[in-house]
Amino acid sequence: TGLRIALAPSLLVALAAASTDQACDMSGTPAASAMPTLPIGPSGAQQRMPALGFGVGTAWFRAQGAAAEQALEDSILAALDAGFRHIDDAEMYGNECVTGRAIAKWLARNPGTLRKDLFITGKVLRGAAGEGGVVAACRRSLANMGLEYFDLYLLHGPCEHDGRP
């Protein structure tokens, strides 16, 4: 049996609309076109965001060394091969170069897929933007990943531990 994922009701509806039987089943390798998307932006906009993304943080940002980098790269390649088109990274993970390298490698192996067919999220940690602020941090992340743009850029953990902004 495949892995089952608990999802928010609105996301579950979007996934169910795309595929009733295997929307949340990660045991197979769905075609990219089977991965559901959600409309974003103003009403009537043509922009869409994949409803399910592949996050490259948490376990990866604490791992170090060539073996950890290779494992991360392999996991990103496998996620893209499996139909994921949303990759979620953050500068605090310290793995943007590996993520960017995996994306570039996968795009080179799949010439029918363009960068615009992927949805890449970047994040900056509050207070970690450094000199030049958030714009400079975003530019550094783009350079680290070898990308021209992010589809979504977020403030990662915008509040203090006590809940203050």
Side-chain angles (χ1 to χ4, degrees), residues 58-78:
T58 312
W60 303 110
F61 83 99
R62 291 195 174 116
Q64 296 179 2
E69 288 184 5
Q70 188 61 54
L72 173 58
E73 184 176 320
D74 291 346
S75 73
I76 294 167
L77 292 169

Side-chain angles (χ1 to χ4, degrees), residues 99-154:
T99 300
R101 186 172 62 233
I103 291 168
K105 184 182 284 188
W106 190 85
L107 287 170
R109 290 190 334 204
N110 295 275
T113 304
L114 305 174
R115 162 61 185 93
K116 70 177 185 65
D117 299 323
L118 303 178
F119 193 95
I120 310 297
T121 298
K123 298 186 287 285
V124 63
L125 187 63
R126 66 167 158 60
E131 190 173 326
V134 172
V135 172
C138 182
R139 288 185 178 136
R140 283 191 303 272
S141 290
L142 288 169
N144 286 340
M145 293 182 76
L147 299 174
E148 293 182 16
Y149 66 94
F150 285 115
D151 298 281
L152 179 64
Y153 195 67
L154 303 170

Side-chain angles (χ1 to χ4, degrees), residues 18-43:
S19 169
T20 10
D21 293 332
Q22 295 188 350
C24 300
D25 188 349
M26 296 293 119
S27 62
T29 53
S33 60
M35 194 64 74
T37 61
L38 302 169
I40 59 173
S43 181

